[in-house]
Amino acid sequence: MEQIRIFTKLISSELHLPEHGVENTLKLLDEGCTIPFISRYRKERTGGLDDIQIAAISDRLERLQEIAKRKETIVKTITEQEKMTADLQKRIDDCWEATVLEDIYLPYKPKRHTRAQLAREQGLEPLAQLLMLQREPHPEQAAMRFVVGGVSDVASALKGAQDIIAEQISEEEGSRNQIRAAFRREAFIVSKVVKAKKDTDEAAKYSDYFDWEEPLKRCSSHRLLAMRRGESEGFLRISITIDDEEAIRRMQHHYVHGTGACQRLVAEAVEDGYKRLLRPAIETEFSNISKEKADEEAINVFTENLRQLLLGAPLGQKRVMGIDPGFRTGCKVVCLDAQGNLLHHEAIFPHPPVNHRMQATVHVQQMLEQYHIEAIAIGNGTASRETKEFVEDCLSSETGKQGKPQVFVVSEDGASVYSASKVARDEFPDEDVTVRGAVSIGRRLMDPLAELVKIDPKSIGVGQYQHDVDQTKLKHSLDQTVESCVNLVGVNLNTASQHLLMYVSGLGPTLAKNIIDYRKENGAFTSRTQLKKVPRLGPAAYQQCAGFLRIPHAKNPLDNSAVHPESYGIVEQMAKDCQCTIEELINNKEKRGQIDIQRYVTDSIGIPTLTDIMKELDKPGRDPREQIEEFEFDSSIQTVEDLQEGMELPGIVTNITNFGAFVDIGVHQDGLVHISQLADKYVSDPTKVVHLHQHVKVRVIGIDLRRNRISLSMKGMRK
């Protein structure tokens, strides 16, 4: 209980959130509640904290628990050395900063066989203490007493004593904080090319950093990660520097008092301690800190992109033709029913070099008619534009027919990863990877969220430097994002795949599989209460998941809404007070308007929950995602060579980074709208201006054919 109180104060202060909300969130997390459940159904207890705030509290809690565990190890180690004091114990107890904690522990930390440790074993610590007092006029004479055992001469004795002083100074908190402050104020990050590799083609992509220097505190995350990647690939050498002479002068001013032989020896030890021990340690520390900060920014960009991608506009349950386009290998075509089941597949060859266009046209038209296709999804990879033109020709030749299918170009990033995955093999054990890929493209049009959850988020192709950041933190953040999106939208209990159900609050892989097995054996669920019959799905899991699972056409209409079963009694009372059924209450706006929610406030149910209930009754089970839109590239532009500066073109946002947005303008090479070109006003965060798959209008402002780069601007442009 005491630890929760401490954690509450620390987290509340760091995140600037009310202590009451933080404390209750920590208790709910400790009870096993999930982030989506807490944010949606426990608003009274948290004070209305959203899922992002609750996730931040959860992350801080994890970090504090790690520090608490580290403290136990540190206390045990120091106690075993019989060096623990009441003051030291209090300092450790009161410390919740990892860096400060390690500084406190450093003098007591068991060391490898350092030069100072060897000197101590030779009995030179008293000589080091004598030198540090700086009162001995003839240190050489004093050192003669220590020329015994393994110490061969006076010079060796003095050198050993200096090694001890150098290590002591490098481990003192004051020294470390002094150098940290210098790094914080004035550190520069410096990048130099490895000369032996300067003229290679692989090094060219890092040419901006062949001779680069800037203040570390101003170095953006994408530049730092680019330099670090160049270093890991062997093209660059990176260092973080400060003014060493000034740093040494300040340290000597602190430790050296007056002049004389002792002072000279201490000054030398200070310089050695700085150069050999302290400076490398603090440089590594700042290198790690800057990398962690860059990772955090890159992960934030990645998760925001993933959120937008997962919440992309769905077409809904329509009969879809999915096409994975190609030239030499042809186009793989699949026909899906409204539930996404595979009905038919075949390959067509409408493009060179095979070029069986007439035959392909006949086959497409036959499939459209036979399978009553309502929409067509075409992958955006190789031959995408040519295939879209071919399909539109097929549709235009079907004269006199009403209700022609809409045609959409769909991102196929990660489709090849899905098609070779275990999930795809389990779904389509008898089909090859090309069929699975085309099915994925078709299903993405119907419901991007349900299909994309099957793919490792890192393979979806959004974000920046996703392979360079901390992979554990990235996975944790991405998993949280997927879970958040799935539970925001809600899941159809009778059609959801096992992979989608896995991300529903309170479920996970085992319970998701048990639900699928129960569905196969007993048929479709008709009520949420049936979930209690699923093996191993106990009361706790039911509480966490029930509100996020939807059952269309259920006997109780609330089973197809976000109203939690624990609140059904309130809605039943509302209907009773309005002298109608729940279904009539949902369908009758006038009756809902008569409800005074204040009448239904209880000790556990407050205005936030009652407001949410009323919103759900207004539009039960409403999908929060936008409506899908068709899109057309400029038909006169096919390749980069067709571009000219000043052209204004339609495009689709394909990726967002913290330095701008990439836009597909239909030339098989995305252009970059730099952050400075995104709007007519100052932009600090590109995600506040554009979102993934947004249809935009751009102006071409630069074409670099050698590096295959296109520079675009959205200034002064209207959609």
Side-chain angles (χ1 to χ4, degrees):
M1 201 62 197
E2 174 64 16
Q3 198 169 73
I4 283 189
R5 188 184 63 77
I6 293 169
F7 287 176
T8 296
K9 287 187 174 298
L10 290 167
I11 295 171
S12 171
S13 173
E14 185 181 349
L15 298 179
H16 308 292
L17 295 173
E19 284 190 18
H20 174 75
V22 172
E23 183 177 6
N24 280 334
T25 298
L26 292 177
K27 288 177 181 176
L28 288 164
L29 289 168
D30 188 54
E31 291 166 14
C33 295
T34 67
I35 292 169
F37 177 81
I38 296 170
S39 65
R40 174 77 198 190
Y41 297 114
R42 291 296 179 264
K43 291 179 179 177
E44 284 81 2
R45 288 185 64 181
T46 68
L49 298 179
D50 62 32
D51 59 340
I52 293 172
Q53 292 168 318
I54 293 167
I57 292 171
S58 175
D59 290 344
R60 298 311 189 280
L61 172 64
E62 197 173 307
R63 193 179 67 197
L64 289 170
Q65 287 171 332
E66 286 174 2
I67 292 174
K69 204 169 181 181
R70 179 64 175 155
K71 281 186 183 186
E72 291 175 8
T73 302
I74 289 171
V75 168
K76 183 182 176 186
T77 303
I78 298 175
T79 303
E80 286 173 352
Q81 295 173 13
E82 298 182 353
K83 293 180 180 178
M84 182 61 74
T85 65
D87 286 345
L88 182 56
Q89 181 71 61
K90 187 175 187 313
R91 286 200 67 201
I92 294 170
D93 290 343
D94 293 345
C95 179
W96 291 100
E97 287 186 41
T99 302
V100 176
L101 183 64
E102 293 303 327
D103 278 356
I104 294 170
Y105 178 46
L106 191 56
Y108 308 95
K109 192 173 184 178
K111 296 175 178 62
R112 297 192 300 272
H113 214 58
T114 64
R115 282 160 47 174
Q117 191 65 21
L118 179 61
R120 289 190 187 96
E121 290 169 4
Q122 291 173 334
L124 295 172
E125 192 150 24
L127 179 58
Q129 292 169 349
L130 185 69
L131 295 181
M132 278 300 287
L133 289 173
Q134 300 173 48
R135 296 172 186 163
E136 178 61 53
H138 305 292
E140 288 83 359
Q141 292 180 10
M144 289 179 67
R145 302 198 307 269
F146 295 89
V147 181
V148 292
V151 183
S152 58
D153 53 33
V154 168
S156 298
L158 291 172
K159 186 70 183 72
Q162 285 180 306
D163 288 340
I164 293 172
I165 294 169
E167 186 173 273
Q168 285 176 343
I169 287 171
S170 74
E171 291 180 349
E172 283 189 6
E173 287 182 64
S175 301
R176 299 178 78 81
N177 287 332
Q178 183 182 353
I179 302 307
R180 275 195 194 104
F183 268 80
R184 208 171 285 118
R185 280 193 316 269
E186 62 196 57
F188 273 74
I189 184 166
V190 179
S191 171
K192 301 289 183 185
V193 66
V194 175
K195 290 182 180 178
K197 297 187 177 182
K198 181 177 181 180
D199 297 322
T200 61
D201 291 340
E202 294 87 352
K205 59 186 173 183
Y206 300 111
S207 58
D208 290 346
Y209 305 108
F210 280 2
D211 187 16
W212 180 267
E213 180 178 308
E214 69 174 312
L216 180 63
K217 60 187 176 185
R218 292 185 195 161
C219 184
S220 66
S221 67
H222 66 272
R223 285 201 299 274
L224 189 135
L225 291 171
M227 284 186 265
R228 291 295 182 204
R229 180 187 286 182
E231 182 179 48
S232 67
E233 292 180 3
F235 301 114
L236 303 174
R237 284 199 184 93
I238 312 299
S239 61
I240 298 174
T241 66
I242 60 171
D243 185 335
D244 288 336
E245 289 185 7
E246 177 61 18
I248 292 168
R249 188 191 66 75
R250 285 178 185 160
M251 286 186 66
Q252 288 176 336
H253 178 74
H254 180 75
Y255 288 104
V256 180
H257 312 298
T259 59
C262 271
Q263 285 83 349
R264 177 180 55 78
L265 291 169
V266 172
E268 289 173 0
V270 169
E271 182 173 354
D272 174 54
Y274 171 80
K275 288 182 175 177
R276 181 169 56 86
L277 301 171
L278 185 51
R279 187 196 182 288
I282 303 301
E283 180 182 354
T284 300
E285 187 179 299
F286 270 75
S287 176
N288 292 337
I289 289 170
S290 61
K291 173 68 164 56
E292 285 173 14
K293 185 183 174 191
D295 281 3
E296 187 176 338
E297 288 184 26
I299 289 170
N300 286 342
V301 169
F302 198 112
T303 52
E304 181 55 33
N305 280 348
L306 179 64
R307 182 182 298 277
Q308 292 180 15
L309 194 63
L310 293 174
L311 296 179
L315 181 68
Q317 292 190 320
K318 305 277 187 182
R319 294 182 296 276
V320 169
M321 174 183 286
I323 304 178
D324 187 359
F327 288 116
R328 183 180 56 80
T329 56
C331 301
K332 181 61 72 174
V333 184
V334 298
C335 298
L336 310 174
D337 67 14
Q339 285 71 46
N341 298 310
L342 177 62
L343 303 175
H344 173 79
H345 68 83
E346 66 178 85
I348 59 173
F349 297 85
H351 312 305
V354 182
N355 209 12
H356 293 163
R357 193 176 183 90
M358 288 298 295
Q359 184 185 53
T361 301
V362 171
H363 281 231
V364 167
Q365 290 175 342
Q366 287 174 346
M367 286 185 276
L368 291 172
E369 187 171 346
Q370 183 176 351
Y371 298 103
H372 310 290
I373 297 300
E374 298 172 277
I376 300 171
I378 301 169
N380 68 341
T382 304
S384 174
R385 290 192 67 178
E386 293 81 358
T387 302
K388 185 171 187 285
E389 289 167 6
F390 160 73
V391 167
E392 287 171 342
D393 285 346
C394 291
L395 295 176
S396 64
S397 62
E398 289 196 307
T399 54
K401 293 201 175 180
Q402 298 296 315
K404 290 180 183 177
Q406 289 179 286
V407 181
F408 300 91
V409 175
V410 177
S411 169
E412 59 182 52
D413 285 330
S416 59
V417 174
Y418 160 77
S419 62
S421 69
K422 183 181 183 301
V423 178
R425 291 196 301 274
D426 290 345
E427 282 193 284
F428 303 104
D430 301 323
E431 307 297 348
D432 66 21
V433 292
T434 61
V435 174
R436 297 171 192 159
V439 170
S440 181
I441 289 168
R443 286 177 172 177
R444 287 186 193 198
L445 177 62
M446 299 165 73
D447 190 342
L449 177 61
E451 193 62 21
L452 289 171
V453 293
K454 301 173 186 175
I455 303 168
D456 179 356
K458 288 192 305 238
S459 303
I460 296 177
V462 293
Q464 59 185 84
Y465 301 105
Q466 56 261 40
H467 300 291
D468 300 298
V469 301
D470 184 302
Q471 296 301 292
T472 302
K473 289 181 180 177
L474 177 63
K475 184 179 186 310
H476 173 70
S477 186
L478 296 181
D479 285 347
Q480 276 190 345
T481 302
V482 175
E483 182 183 47
S484 170
C485 292
V486 168
N487 291 285
L488 173 67
V489 172
V491 169
N492 185 328
L493 181 56
N494 287 323
T495 61
S497 67
Q498 180 181 334
H499 217 78
L500 186 58
L501 286 167
M502 276 170 47
Y503 288 101
V504 171
S505 165
L507 293 184
T510 301
L511 289 179
K513 183 177 185 303
N514 291 353
I515 288 173
I516 297 291
D517 292 342
Y518 183 90
R519 205 166 67 193
K520 286 177 182 174
E521 291 172 19
N522 300 280
F525 286 85
T526 56
S527 72
R528 279 173 169 166
T529 53
Q530 274 183 277
L531 282 164
K532 296 177 180 179
K533 297 179 182 178
V534 173
R536 298 180 66 181
L537 203 157
Y542 178 76
Q543 180 197 50
Q544 297 299 307
C545 75
F548 303 103
L549 296 167
R550 310 277 188 268
I551 305 175
H553 315 298
K555 185 176 179 181
N556 186 339
L558 296 179
D559 282 351
N560 192 35
S561 75
V563 176
H564 197 281
E566 65 189 10
S567 298
Y568 282 11
I570 293 171
V571 181
E572 288 164 1
Q573 187 61 50
M574 288 176 175
K576 185 178 179 182
D577 292 345
C578 291
Q579 299 180 334
C580 66
T581 65
I582 291 173
E583 191 169 358
E584 288 169 341
L585 188 64
I586 290 171
N587 294 329
N588 193 322
K589 187 175 182 180
E590 197 174 306
K591 285 190 179 294
R592 292 197 304 277
Q594 298 170 6
I595 295 172
D596 176 10
I597 59 174
Q598 295 283 354
R599 290 179 53 200
Y600 302 95
V601 173
T602 67
D603 291 340
S604 57
I605 304 292
I607 295 298
T609 294
L610 292 166
T611 302
D612 284 347
I613 289 172
M614 295 306 295
K615 285 179 183 175
E616 274 300 306
L617 294 179
D618 187 41
K619 291 181 179 177
R622 181 180 66 87
D623 194 319
R625 295 172 287 182
E626 296 177 352
Q627 293 294 309
I628 196 166
E629 298 177 356
E630 289 186 81
F631 177 82
E632 291 283 346
F633 288 117
D634 188 314
S635 59
S636 66
I637 305 299
Q638 300 287 334
T639 67
V640 177
E641 286 75 16
D642 295 333
L643 296 176
Q644 293 180 12
E645 289 188 18
M647 279 184 169
E648 296 183 359
L649 303 167
I652 300 175
V653 177
T654 58
N655 198 2
I656 303 172
T657 69
N658 60 6
F659 57 85
F662 288 93
V663 176
D664 182 1
I665 52 175
V667 295
H668 307 297
Q669 173 61 47
D670 291 355
L672 172 66
V673 183
H674 189 266
I675 189 170
S676 62
Q677 295 292 325
L678 278 171
D680 294 317
K681 59 184 180 182
Y682 172 74
V683 176
S684 60
D685 180 359
T687 61
K688 304 295 184 190
V689 180
V690 291
H691 60 263
L692 278 181
H693 295 171
Q694 180 180 346
H695 299 173
V696 296
K697 202 81 179 286
V698 295
R699 182 187 304 106
V700 180
I701 59 173
I703 309 157
D704 185 341
L705 293 175
R706 187 180 68 84
R707 294 199 289 181
N708 207 24
R709 291 184 180 178
I710 305 165
S711 299
L712 305 171
S713 175
M714 286 173 53
K715 283 188 170 182
M717 304 300 295
R718 291 185 179 179
K719 183 179 168 183

